[in-house]
Amino acid sequence: WYVDGYFDLTPRQEAIVRDSVRRNVGTFRSRDLPDFLAVLAGIRADLERPLTPAMVDRRIGELESLGQRAASLFVPDSVVLLRTLSPPQVEELFATLADNTAELADDYSGSTPAERRARQQKQVGKFVRRMTGSLSAEQDALVRRHVDRLHDLAPQWIDRRQAWQRAFRASLASERRYPEFDQQVAGLILAPDQFDSPGYRARVAENRAVLCAMVAELFATLTPAQRAHVADEIRGYERSLMGLTAI
């Protein structure tokens, strides 16, 4: 269903996708799911002790590493599928990607820095409240204070997304020969940040440090009810992972 949202699948292509999901979900369940659940359980355990920005950053890194490992499962099958795309399907794919990028630019960028900051405040606040439940006025002010320190990277984020799409299109326009095509596709899937400038990467790292500090400081203010809310949300992620792989 997800892939078909980018271009219409032929019966053969649908069979490729279904077979890939069946095989790789089984591998994910046996190889990766226990590690994901262990990290989520560790995050729940963190709720019972003082939290530092370094601890938050480490947990983020653990999830990123596991996500990268899980994504690598689908690279070989992605190559197989992409080899079968016809020229009309390529056009449909990139028209869909262009539409998605335009929607993201409208949703997240805003036309002015002030608009982008307001949307950023709203998005971060919405996510935090989803995890913690209602915030006190002091907690809401704490979140806003940290968000105000973030670099405005929305325009550069759209630019990097478009650069990735141009490179992806160039790979599909090639003869798709082995092993060059396989390496290009794997690199694009597993390293989408390869087009980022050093300056952009530095600002992303600084934003990450701000958010880690925000989480650590906010957690020190959480009430028992809020901590219980966070734990329940994490258990929801655990149930979702187990449910999605229980086939």
Side-chain angles (χ1 to χ4, degrees), residues 13 37 85 93 116 151 168 172 188 207 214 222 244:
Q13 291 167 337
L37 295 178
L85 263 60
L93 168 62
R116 291 194 291 271
H151 295 294
F168 186 30
L172 290 176
L188 289 168
N207 279 358
M214 181 195 77
L222 294 184
L244 286 169

Side-chain angles (χ1 to χ4, degrees), residues 3 8 38 43 46-47 50 89 118 120 132 162 189 232 239:
V3 177
D8 291 332
I43 294 172
D46 291 340
L47 295 172
Q89 286 177 314
Q120 198 173 44
T132 65
Q162 292 172 332
I189 293 174
D232 286 343
R239 290 191 296 269

Side-chain angles (χ1 to χ4, degrees), residues 182-244:
D182 306 58
Q183 294 168 349
Q184 289 171 353
V185 171
L188 289 168
I189 293 174
L190 298 176
D193 58 352
Q194 61 188 274
F195 305 102
D196 297 348
S197 69
Y200 179 84
R201 293 185 185 190
R203 289 188 289 274
V204 168
E206 290 167 1
N207 279 358
R208 176 169 170 152
V210 169
L211 291 174
C212 288
M214 181 195 77
V215 171
E217 188 175 340
L218 178 64
F219 267 50
T221 73
L222 294 184
T223 65
Q226 288 174 322
R227 289 177 184 272
H229 194 288
V230 175
D232 286 343
E233 286 294 312
I234 296 170
R235 290 190 186 95
Y237 287 121
E238 294 170 343
R239 290 191 296 269
S240 293
L241 279 170
M242 291 186 287
L244 286 169

Side-chain angles (χ1 to χ4, degrees), residues 76-212:
D77 294 326
S78 297
V79 172
V80 171
L81 177 65
L82 291 169
R83 285 188 191 282
T84 70
L85 263 60
S86 66
Q89 286 177 314
V90 171
E91 292 301 322
E92 184 182 3
L93 168 62
F94 284 96
T96 302
L97 289 173
D99 288 343
N100 290 348
T101 298
E103 290 177 7
L104 288 169
D106 183 60
D107 290 343
Y108 297 110
S109 293
S111 59
T112 67
E115 286 181 359
R116 291 194 291 271
R117 179 65 75 199
R119 291 186 181 187
Q120 198 173 44
Q121 289 279 9
K122 182 178 179 180
Q123 291 155 9
V124 174
K126 182 178 179 180
F127 175 78
V128 170
R129 284 188 290 273
R130 189 177 78 197
M131 295 300 298
T132 65
S134 299
L135 296 175
S136 68
E138 293 78 10
Q139 290 171 326
D140 188 62
L142 183 157
V143 172
R144 288 181 171 276
R145 173 166 51 83
H146 282 283
V147 173
D148 279 339
R149 296 170 54 206
L150 295 174
H151 295 294
D152 177 12
L153 297 178
Q156 295 95 317
W157 183 77
I158 294 295
D159 289 344
R160 73 191 289 269
R161 180 181 173 90
Q162 292 172 332
W164 185 92
Q165 290 174 14
R166 288 192 295 271
F168 186 30
R169 181 154 199 161
S171 70
L172 290 176
S174 69
E175 296 183 23
R176 307 179 193 175
R177 290 186 296 191
Y178 177 85
E180 292 84 1
F181 181 70
D182 306 58
Q183 294 168 349
Q184 289 171 353
V185 171
L188 289 168
I189 293 174
L190 298 176
D193 58 352
Q194 61 188 274
F195 305 102
D196 297 348
S197 69
Y200 179 84
R201 293 185 185 190
R203 289 188 289 274
V204 168
E206 290 167 1
N207 279 358
R208 176 169 170 152
V210 169
L211 291 174
C212 288

Side-chain angles (χ1 to χ4, degrees), residues 1-6 9 17:
W1 173 83
Y2 178 80
V3 177
D4 197 59
Y6 285 91
L9 292 166
V17 174

